[in-house]
Coordinates of all heavy atoms in Angstrom, one line a residue:
M257 N 31.4 -241.4 -152.0 CA 30.1 -241.0 -152.4 C 29.1 -241.8 -151.7 O 29.1 -243.1 -151.7 CB 29.9 -241.2 -153.9 CG 28.6 -240.7 -154.5 SD 28.4 -238.9 -154.5 CE 29.3 -238.5 -155.9
K258 N 28.1 -241.2 -151.0 CA 27.1 -241.9 -150.2 C 25.8 -241.9 -151.0 O 25.5 -240.8 -151.7 CB 26.9 -241.3 -148.9 CG 28.1 -241.5 -148.0 CD 27.9 -240.9 -146.6 CE 29.1 -241.2 -145.7 NZ 29.0 -240.6 -144.4
T259 N 25.0 -242.9 -151.0 CA 23.8 -243.0 -151.7 C 22.6 -242.9 -150.8 O 22.6 -243.6 -149.7 CB 23.7 -244.3 -152.5 OG1 24.8 -244.3 -153.4 CG2 22.4 -244.4 -153.3
V260 N 21.7 -242.1 -151.1 CA 20.4 -241.9 -150.4 C 19.3 -242.3 -151.3 O 19.1 -241.8 -152.4 CB 20.2 -240.5 -149.9 CG1 18.8 -240.3 -149.3 CG2 21.3 -240.1 -148.9
K261 N 18.5 -243.3 -150.9 CA 17.4 -243.8 -151.7 C 16.1 -243.5 -150.9 O 16.0 -243.8 -149.7 CB 17.5 -245.3 -152.0 CG 18.7 -245.6 -152.9 CD 18.6 -247.1 -153.1 CE 19.9 -247.6 -153.8 NZ 20.0 -249.1 -153.9
V262 N 15.1 -243.0 -151.6 CA 13.8 -242.8 -151.0 C 12.8 -243.6 -151.8 O 12.7 -243.4 -153.1 CB 13.4 -241.3 -151.0 CG1 12.0 -241.1 -150.4 CG2 14.4 -240.4 -150.3
C263 N 12.0 -244.4 -151.2 CA 11.0 -245.2 -151.9 C 9.9 -244.3 -152.5 O 9.4 -243.4 -151.8 CB 10.4 -246.2 -150.9 SG 9.1 -247.1 -151.7
V264 N 9.7 -244.5 -153.7 CA 8.6 -243.7 -154.4 C 7.5 -244.7 -154.9 O 6.8 -244.3 -155.8 CB 9.2 -242.9 -155.6 CG1 10.1 -241.8 -155.0 CG2 9.9 -243.7 -156.6
G265 N 7.4 -245.8 -154.2 CA 6.3 -246.7 -154.4 C 5.0 -246.0 -154.0 O 5.0 -245.0 -153.3
S266 N 3.9 -246.6 -154.4 CA 2.6 -245.9 -154.2 C 2.3 -245.7 -152.7 O 1.9 -244.6 -152.3 CB 1.5 -246.7 -154.9 OG 1.4 -248.0 -154.4
A267 N 2.6 -246.7 -151.8 CA 2.3 -246.5 -150.4 C 3.1 -245.4 -149.8 O 2.6 -244.5 -149.1 CB 2.5 -247.8 -149.6
C268 N 4.4 -245.4 -150.1 CA 5.3 -244.3 -149.5 C 5.0 -243.0 -150.2 O 5.1 -241.9 -149.5 CB 6.7 -244.7 -149.8 SG 7.3 -246.1 -148.7
N269 N 4.6 -243.0 -151.4 CA 4.2 -241.7 -152.1 C 3.1 -241.1 -151.3 O 3.1 -239.9 -151.0 CB 3.9 -242.0 -153.5 CG 4.0 -240.7 -154.3 OD1 4.9 -239.9 -154.2 ND2 3.0 -240.5 -155.2
I270 N 2.1 -241.9 -151.0 CA 0.9 -241.4 -150.3 C 1.2 -240.9 -148.9 O 0.7 -239.9 -148.4 CB -0.2 -242.4 -150.3 CG1 -0.8 -242.6 -151.7 CG2 -1.3 -242.1 -149.3 CD1 -1.7 -243.9 -151.8
K271 N 2.2 -241.6 -148.3 CA 2.6 -241.3 -146.9 C 3.6 -240.2 -146.8 O 4.0 -239.9 -145.7 CB 3.0 -242.5 -146.2 CG 1.9 -243.5 -146.0 CD 2.4 -244.9 -145.5 CE 1.2 -245.8 -145.3 NZ 1.6 -247.2 -145.2
G272 N 4.0 -239.6 -147.9 CA 4.8 -238.4 -147.8 C 6.2 -238.5 -148.4 O 7.1 -237.6 -148.1
A273 N 6.5 -239.4 -149.3 CA 7.8 -239.5 -149.9 C 8.2 -238.2 -150.6 O 9.4 -237.8 -150.5 CB 7.9 -240.7 -150.9
P274 N 7.3 -237.5 -151.3 CA 7.7 -236.3 -151.9 C 8.2 -235.2 -150.9 O 9.2 -234.5 -151.2 CB 6.5 -235.8 -152.6 CG 5.7 -237.0 -152.9 CD 5.9 -237.9 -151.7
D275 N 7.7 -235.2 -149.7 CA 8.1 -234.3 -148.7 C 9.5 -234.6 -148.2 O 10.4 -233.8 -147.9 CB 7.1 -234.2 -147.5 CG 5.8 -233.7 -148.0 OD1 5.7 -232.9 -148.9 OD2 4.8 -234.1 -147.3
V276 N 9.8 -236.0 -148.1 CA 11.1 -236.4 -147.6 C 12.1 -236.1 -148.7 O 13.2 -235.6 -148.4 CB 11.1 -237.9 -147.3 CG1 12.5 -238.4 -147.1 CG2 10.2 -238.2 -146.1
I277 N 11.8 -236.3 -150.0 CA 12.7 -236.0 -151.1 C 13.0 -234.5 -151.1 O 14.2 -234.1 -151.2 CB 12.1 -236.4 -152.4 CG1 12.1 -237.9 -152.5 CG2 12.9 -235.8 -153.6 CD1 11.3 -238.5 -153.6
E278 N 12.0 -233.6 -150.9 CA 12.3 -232.2 -150.9 C 13.2 -231.8 -149.7 O 14.1 -231.0 -149.8 CB 11.0 -231.4 -150.8 CG 10.2 -231.4 -152.1 CD 11.1 -230.9 -153.3 OE1 11.7 -229.8 -153.1 OE2 11.1 -231.6 -154.3
R279 N 13.0 -232.5 -148.5 CA 13.8 -232.2 -147.4 C 15.2 -232.6 -147.6 O 16.2 -231.8 -147.3 CB 13.3 -233.0 -146.2 CG 14.0 -232.7 -144.9 CD 13.8 -231.3 -144.3 NE 12.4 -231.2 -143.9 CZ 11.9 -231.3 -142.7 NH1 12.7 -231.6 -141.7 NH2 10.6 -231.1 -142.4
Y280 N 15.4 -233.7 -148.3 CA 16.8 -234.2 -148.6 C 17.5 -233.3 -149.6 O 18.7 -233.0 -149.5 CB 16.8 -235.7 -149.0 CG 16.6 -236.6 -147.9 CD1 16.3 -238.0 -148.1 CD2 16.8 -236.2 -146.6 CE1 16.2 -238.9 -147.1 CE2 16.6 -237.1 -145.5 CZ 16.3 -238.5 -145.8 OH 16.2 -239.3 -144.8
K281 N 16.7 -232.9 -150.6 CA 17.3 -232.0 -151.6 C 17.8 -230.7 -150.9 O 18.8 -230.2 -151.2 CB 16.2 -231.6 -152.7 CG 16.0 -232.6 -153.7 CD 15.0 -232.0 -154.7 CE 14.6 -233.0 -155.8 NZ 13.5 -232.5 -156.6
R282 N 17.0 -230.2 -150.0 CA 17.3 -228.9 -149.3 C 18.6 -229.2 -148.4 O 19.5 -228.3 -148.4 CB 16.2 -228.5 -148.5 CG 16.4 -227.2 -147.7 CD 15.2 -226.6 -147.1 NE 14.6 -227.4 -146.1 CZ 15.1 -227.6 -144.8 NH1 16.2 -227.0 -144.5 NH2 14.4 -228.3 -144.0
L283 N 18.6 -230.3 -147.7 CA 19.8 -230.6 -146.9 C 21.1 -230.7 -147.7 O 22.1 -230.2 -147.3 CB 19.5 -231.9 -146.1 CG 18.6 -231.8 -144.9 CD1 18.2 -233.2 -144.4 CD2 19.3 -231.0 -143.8
I284 N 20.9 -231.4 -148.8 CA 22.1 -231.5 -149.7 C 22.6 -230.2 -150.2 O 23.8 -229.9 -150.2 CB 21.8 -232.5 -150.9 CG1 21.6 -233.9 -150.3 CG2 22.9 -232.5 -151.9 CD1 21.0 -234.9 -151.3
E285 N 21.7 -229.3 -150.6 CA 22.0 -228.0 -151.1 C 22.6 -227.1 -150.1 O 23.6 -226.5 -150.2 CB 20.8 -227.4 -151.8 CG 21.1 -226.2 -152.6 CD 19.8 -225.7 -153.3 OE1 19.2 -226.5 -154.0 OE2 19.5 -224.5 -153.1
E286 N 21.9 -227.1 -148.9 CA 22.3 -226.2 -147.9 C 23.7 -226.5 -147.3 O 24.4 -225.7 -146.8 CB 21.3 -226.1 -146.7 CG 20.0 -225.4 -147.1 CD 19.0 -225.4 -146.0 OE1 19.2 -226.1 -144.9 OE2 18.0 -224.8 -146.1
N287 N 24.0 -227.8 -147.3 CA 25.3 -228.3 -146.8 C 26.3 -228.6 -147.8 O 27.4 -229.2 -147.5 CB 25.0 -229.5 -145.9 CG 24.2 -229.2 -144.7 OD1 24.7 -228.6 -143.7 ND2 22.9 -229.5 -144.7
A288 N 26.0 -228.2 -149.1 CA 27.0 -228.3 -150.2 C 27.5 -229.8 -150.3 O 28.7 -230.0 -150.4 CB 28.2 -227.3 -150.0
L289 N 26.5 -230.7 -150.3 CA 26.9 -232.1 -150.3 C 26.7 -232.7 -151.7 O 26.7 -233.9 -151.9 CB 26.0 -232.9 -149.3 CG 26.2 -232.5 -147.9 CD1 25.1 -233.2 -147.0 CD2 27.6 -232.9 -147.4
Q290 N 26.5 -231.8 -152.7 CA 26.2 -232.3 -154.1 C 27.3 -233.3 -154.6 O 27.0 -234.2 -155.4 CB 26.1 -231.2 -155.1 CG 24.9 -230.3 -154.8 CD 25.2 -229.1 -153.8 OE1 26.1 -229.2 -153.1 NE2 24.3 -228.1 -153.9
C291 N 28.5 -233.1 -154.2 CA 29.6 -234.0 -154.7 C 29.8 -235.2 -153.8 O 30.6 -236.1 -154.1 CB 30.9 -233.2 -154.7 SG 30.9 -231.9 -155.9
D292 N 29.1 -235.3 -152.7 CA 29.3 -236.4 -151.7 C 28.1 -237.3 -151.6 O 28.2 -238.4 -151.1 CB 29.6 -235.8 -150.3 CG 30.8 -234.9 -150.3 OD1 31.8 -235.3 -150.9 OD2 30.7 -233.8 -149.7
V293 N 26.9 -236.8 -152.0 CA 25.7 -237.6 -151.8 C 24.9 -237.7 -153.1 O 24.7 -236.7 -153.8 CB 24.8 -236.9 -150.7 CG1 23.5 -237.7 -150.6 CG2 25.6 -236.9 -149.4
V294 N 24.5 -238.9 -153.5 CA 23.6 -239.1 -154.6 C 22.2 -239.4 -154.1 O 22.1 -240.3 -153.2 CB 24.1 -240.3 -155.5 CG1 23.1 -240.6 -156.6 CG2 25.4 -240.0 -156.0
L295 N 21.2 -238.7 -154.5 CA 19.8 -238.9 -154.1 C 19.1 -239.5 -155.2 O 19.0 -239.0 -156.3 CB 19.2 -237.5 -153.7 CG 17.7 -237.5 -153.3 CD1 17.5 -238.3 -152.1 CD2 17.2 -236.1 -153.1
K296 N 18.5 -240.7 -154.9 CA 17.7 -241.5 -155.9 C 16.4 -241.8 -155.4 O 16.2 -242.0 -154.1 CB 18.5 -242.8 -156.2 CG 19.8 -242.7 -156.7 CD 20.4 -244.0 -157.0 CE 21.8 -243.9 -157.7 NZ 22.3 -245.3 -157.9
G297 N 15.4 -242.0 -156.3 CA 14.2 -242.7 -155.9 C 14.3 -244.1 -156.2 O 15.1 -244.6 -157.0
C298 N 13.5 -245.0 -155.5 CA 13.6 -246.4 -155.8 C 12.2 -247.0 -155.6 O 11.3 -246.3 -155.0 CB 14.5 -247.1 -154.8 SG 14.1 -247.1 -153.1
F299 N 12.0 -248.1 -156.1 CA 10.7 -248.8 -156.1 C 10.5 -249.4 -154.7 O 11.4 -249.4 -153.8 CB 10.6 -249.8 -157.2 CG 10.5 -249.2 -158.5 CD1 11.6 -249.4 -159.4 CD2 9.5 -248.3 -158.9 CE1 11.5 -248.8 -160.7 CE2 9.5 -247.7 -160.2 CZ 10.5 -248.0 -161.0
C300 N 9.3 -250.0 -154.5 CA 8.9 -250.5 -153.2 C 10.0 -251.3 -152.5 O 10.6 -252.2 -153.1 CB 7.7 -251.4 -153.4 SG 7.1 -252.1 -151.8
M301 N 10.3 -251.0 -151.2 CA 11.3 -251.7 -150.4 C 10.7 -252.7 -149.5 O 11.3 -253.2 -148.6 CB 12.1 -250.6 -149.6 CG 12.8 -249.6 -150.5 SD 13.4 -248.1 -149.7 CE 14.9 -248.8 -149.0
K302 N 9.4 -253.0 -149.8 CA 8.7 -254.1 -149.0 C 8.6 -253.8 -147.5 O 8.5 -254.7 -146.7 CB 9.4 -255.5 -149.2 CG 9.7 -255.8 -150.6 CD 8.5 -256.0 -151.4 CE 8.8 -256.5 -152.8 NZ 7.7 -256.2 -153.8
N303 N 8.5 -252.5 -147.2 CA 8.2 -252.0 -145.8 C 7.1 -251.0 -145.9 O 7.2 -249.9 -145.3 CB 9.5 -251.4 -145.2 CG 10.5 -252.4 -145.0 OD1 10.3 -253.5 -144.4 ND2 11.7 -252.1 -145.5
C304 N 6.0 -251.3 -146.5 CA 5.0 -250.3 -146.9 C 4.1 -249.9 -145.7 O 3.4 -248.9 -145.8 CB 4.1 -250.9 -147.9 SG 4.9 -251.6 -149.3
S305 N 4.1 -250.6 -144.6 CA 3.0 -250.5 -143.6 C 3.0 -249.2 -142.9 O 1.9 -248.8 -142.5 CB 3.1 -251.7 -142.7 OG 4.3 -251.7 -142.0
C306 N 4.1 -248.6 -142.5 CA 4.0 -247.5 -141.5 C 4.6 -246.2 -141.9 O 4.7 -245.4 -141.0 CB 4.6 -248.0 -140.2 SG 6.2 -248.6 -140.4
G307 N 4.9 -245.9 -143.1 CA 5.4 -244.6 -143.4 C 6.5 -244.7 -144.5 O 6.6 -245.8 -145.1
V308 N 7.2 -243.7 -144.7 CA 8.1 -243.6 -145.9 C 9.4 -244.4 -145.6 O 9.9 -244.3 -144.5 CB 8.5 -242.1 -146.2 CG1 9.5 -242.1 -147.3 CG2 7.3 -241.3 -146.5
S309 N 9.8 -245.2 -146.5 CA 11.0 -246.0 -146.4 C 12.2 -245.3 -147.1 O 12.0 -244.8 -148.2 CB 10.8 -247.4 -147.0 OG 9.9 -248.1 -146.3
V310 N 13.3 -245.4 -146.5 CA 14.5 -244.8 -147.1 C 15.7 -245.7 -146.9 O 15.7 -246.6 -146.0 CB 14.9 -243.4 -146.5 CG1 13.7 -242.4 -146.7 CG2 15.3 -243.5 -145.1
E311 N 16.7 -245.6 -147.7 CA 18.0 -246.3 -147.5 C 19.1 -245.2 -147.4 O 19.3 -244.5 -148.4 CB 18.3 -247.3 -148.6 CG 19.5 -248.1 -148.3 CD 19.8 -249.1 -149.4 OE1 18.8 -249.8 -149.8 OE2 20.9 -249.2 -149.8
L312 N 19.8 -245.1 -146.3 CA 20.8 -244.1 -146.1 C 22.2 -244.8 -146.0 O 22.5 -245.4 -145.0 CB 20.5 -243.3 -144.8 CG 19.2 -242.5 -144.8 CD1 19.0 -241.9 -143.4 CD2 19.2 -241.4 -145.8
D313 N 22.9 -244.7 -147.1 CA 24.3 -245.3 -147.2 C 24.2 -246.8 -146.7 O 25.0 -247.2 -145.9 CB 25.2 -244.5 -146.3 CG 26.7 -244.8 -146.6 OD1 27.0 -245.2 -147.8 OD2 27.5 -244.7 -145.7
G314 N 23.2 -247.5 -147.2 CA 23.1 -248.9 -146.9 C 22.2 -249.3 -145.7 O 21.9 -250.5 -145.5
T315 N 21.8 -248.3 -144.9 CA 20.9 -248.6 -143.8 C 19.5 -248.3 -144.2 O 19.1 -247.2 -144.5 CB 21.3 -247.7 -142.6 OG1 22.7 -248.0 -142.2 CG2 20.4 -248.0 -141.4
V316 N 18.7 -249.4 -144.1 CA 17.3 -249.2 -144.4 C 16.4 -248.8 -143.2 O 16.6 -249.5 -142.2 CB 16.7 -250.5 -145.0 CG1 15.2 -250.4 -145.3 CG2 17.5 -250.9 -146.3
L317 N 15.6 -247.8 -143.4 CA 14.8 -247.3 -142.3 C 13.4 -247.1 -142.9 O 13.2 -246.9 -144.0 CB 15.3 -246.0 -141.8 CG 16.7 -245.9 -141.3 CD1 17.2 -244.5 -141.1 CD2 16.8 -246.6 -139.9
N318 N 12.4 -247.3 -142.0 CA 11.0 -247.1 -142.5 C 10.2 -246.4 -141.5 O 10.6 -246.3 -140.3 CB 10.4 -248.4 -143.0 CG 10.5 -249.5 -142.0 OD1 9.9 -249.3 -140.9 ND2 11.1 -250.5 -142.3
G319 N 9.0 -245.9 -141.9 CA 8.1 -245.2 -141.0 C 8.6 -243.8 -140.7 O 8.3 -243.2 -139.7
L320 N 9.3 -243.2 -141.7 CA 9.8 -241.8 -141.4 C 8.9 -240.7 -141.9 O 8.3 -240.9 -143.0 CB 11.2 -241.7 -142.1 CG 12.3 -242.7 -141.8 CD1 13.5 -242.3 -142.5 CD2 12.5 -242.7 -140.3
D321 N 8.8 -239.7 -141.1 CA 8.2 -238.4 -141.6 C 9.4 -237.5 -141.9 O 10.6 -237.9 -141.7 CB 7.3 -237.8 -140.6 CG 8.0 -237.4 -139.3 OD1 9.2 -237.3 -139.2 OD2 7.2 -237.3 -138.3
P322 N 9.2 -236.4 -142.5 CA 10.3 -235.5 -143.0 C 11.2 -235.1 -141.8 O 12.5 -235.1 -142.0 CB 9.6 -234.3 -143.6 CG 8.3 -234.8 -144.1 CD 7.9 -235.8 -143.1
D323 N 10.7 -234.9 -140.6 CA 11.6 -234.5 -139.5 C 12.5 -235.6 -139.1 O 13.7 -235.4 -138.9 CB 10.7 -234.0 -138.3 CG 10.1 -232.6 -138.6 OD1 10.5 -231.9 -139.5 OD2 9.1 -232.3 -137.9
E324 N 11.9 -236.8 -138.9 CA 12.7 -238.0 -138.6 C 13.7 -238.3 -139.7 O 14.8 -238.8 -139.4 CB 11.8 -239.1 -138.2 CG 12.6 -240.4 -137.7 CD 13.4 -240.1 -136.4 OE1 13.2 -239.2 -135.7 OE2 14.4 -240.9 -136.2
A325 N 13.3 -238.2 -140.9 CA 14.1 -238.4 -142.1 C 15.4 -237.5 -142.0 O 16.5 -237.9 -142.3 CB 13.4 -238.2 -143.4
E326 N 15.1 -236.2 -141.6 CA 16.3 -235.3 -141.5 C 17.2 -235.7 -140.3 O 18.4 -235.7 -140.5 CB 15.8 -233.9 -141.2 CG 16.9 -232.9 -141.1 CD 16.5 -231.4 -141.1 OE1 15.4 -231.1 -141.5 OE2 17.3 -230.6 -140.6
V327 N 16.6 -236.1 -139.2 CA 17.5 -236.6 -138.1 C 18.4 -237.7 -138.5 O 19.6 -237.7 -138.2 CB 16.6 -237.0 -136.9 CG1 17.4 -237.7 -135.8 CG2 15.9 -235.8 -136.3
Q328 N 17.8 -238.7 -139.2 CA 18.6 -239.9 -139.6 C 19.6 -239.5 -140.7 O 20.7 -240.0 -140.7 CB 17.6 -240.9 -140.1 CG 16.7 -241.5 -139.1 CD 17.5 -242.1 -137.9 OE1 18.5 -242.7 -138.0 NE2 16.9 -242.0 -136.7
F329 N 19.3 -238.6 -141.6 CA 20.2 -238.1 -142.6 C 21.4 -237.4 -141.9 O 22.6 -237.7 -142.3 CB 19.5 -237.1 -143.5 CG 20.3 -236.6 -144.7 CD1 20.2 -237.2 -145.9 CD2 21.2 -235.5 -144.5 CE1 21.0 -236.7 -147.0 CE2 21.9 -235.0 -145.6 CZ 21.8 -235.6 -146.8
R330 N 21.1 -236.6 -141.0 CA 22.2 -235.9 -140.3 C 23.1 -236.9 -139.6 O 24.3 -236.7 -139.5 CB 21.7 -234.8 -139.3 CG 21.1 -233.6 -140.0 CD 20.6 -232.6 -139.0 NE 20.0 -231.4 -139.7 CZ 20.8 -230.4 -140.2 NH1 22.1 -230.5 -140.1 NH2 20.2 -229.4 -140.8
K331 N 22.5 -237.9 -139.0 CA 23.3 -238.9 -138.3 C 24.1 -239.8 -139.2 O 25.3 -240.0 -139.0 CB 22.3 -239.7 -137.4 CG 22.9 -240.7 -136.5 CD 21.9 -241.2 -135.5 CE 21.9 -242.7 -135.4 NZ 20.7 -243.2 -134.7
L332 N 23.4 -240.4 -140.2 CA 24.1 -241.4 -141.0 C 24.8 -240.9 -142.2 O 25.8 -241.5 -142.7 CB 23.0 -242.4 -141.5 CG 22.3 -243.2 -140.3 CD1 21.1 -244.0 -140.9 CD2 23.3 -244.2 -139.7
I333 N 24.4 -239.8 -142.7 CA 25.1 -239.2 -143.9 C 26.1 -238.1 -143.5 O 27.2 -238.1 -144.0 CB 24.1 -238.7 -144.9 CG1 23.1 -239.8 -145.3 CG2 24.8 -238.0 -146.1 CD1 23.8 -241.0 -146.0
M334 N 25.7 -237.3 -142.6 CA 26.6 -236.1 -142.2 C 27.4 -236.4 -141.0 O 28.3 -235.6 -140.6 CB 25.7 -234.9 -142.0 CG 24.9 -234.5 -143.3 SD 23.7 -233.1 -143.0 CE 24.8 -231.8 -142.6
G335 N 27.1 -237.5 -140.3 CA 28.0 -237.9 -139.1 C 27.8 -237.0 -137.9 O 28.7 -236.8 -137.1
E336 N 26.6 -236.3 -137.8 CA 26.4 -235.4 -136.6 C 25.9 -236.2 -135.4 O 25.4 -237.3 -135.5 CB 25.3 -234.4 -137.0 CG 25.8 -233.4 -138.0 CD 24.8 -232.3 -138.3 OE1 23.6 -232.4 -137.8 OE2 25.1 -231.4 -139.0
Ligands
LIG637 S1 5.8 -248.5 -151.3 FE1 7.5 -247.9 -150.1 S2 8.1 -249.7 -149.1 FE2 6.5 -250.3 -150.3

């Protein structure tokens, strides 16, 4: 089971965390990953300055928009 965390702290929320969460929900559903991936919200990851912060199976990334968040999800979670 892989864990995906999206920061829902105030800075990330303003910078688009809800859009990243929706993108991840869609990816999980479209690729039938419900049994393999847990999607969680988390509090501030102390990387507030440049965009949405996420943690994909232990790898912390920041400054993501939904498109880049999808690229990283496909790479780190789906192994594409
Ligand atoms: S609010 Fe998301 S890293 Fe701080």
Side-chain angles (χ1 to χ4, degrees):
M257 184 69 83
K258 294 182 177 178
T259 301
V260 172
K261 297 179 186 174
V262 179
C263 177
V264 292
S266 54
C268 287
N269 198 48
I270 289 168
K271 290 172 181 162
D275 297 332
V276 172
I277 290 169
E278 285 307 311
R279 181 72 63 98
Y280 283 167
K281 281 184 184 173
R282 183 170 60 74
L283 281 167
I284 290 168
E285 193 175 303
E286 286 178 356
N287 294 284
L289 296 172
Q290 294 90 337
C291 294
D292 301 316
V293 177
V294 176
L295 177 61
K296 298 179 174 181
C298 67
F299 294 114
C300 181
M301 299 168 80
K302 310 296 184 199
N303 292 308
C304 312
S305 60
C306 55
V308 180
S309 295
V310 305
E311 185 180 315
L312 299 172
D313 197 29
T315 300
V316 176
L317 302 165
N318 53 61
L320 302 182
D321 62 18
D323 290 340
E324 183 60 21
E326 178 171 341
V327 167
Q328 295 301 327
F329 183 96
R330 289 184 178 279
K331 185 167 132 188
L332 296 170
I333 301 298
M334 298 172 66
E336 289 184 355

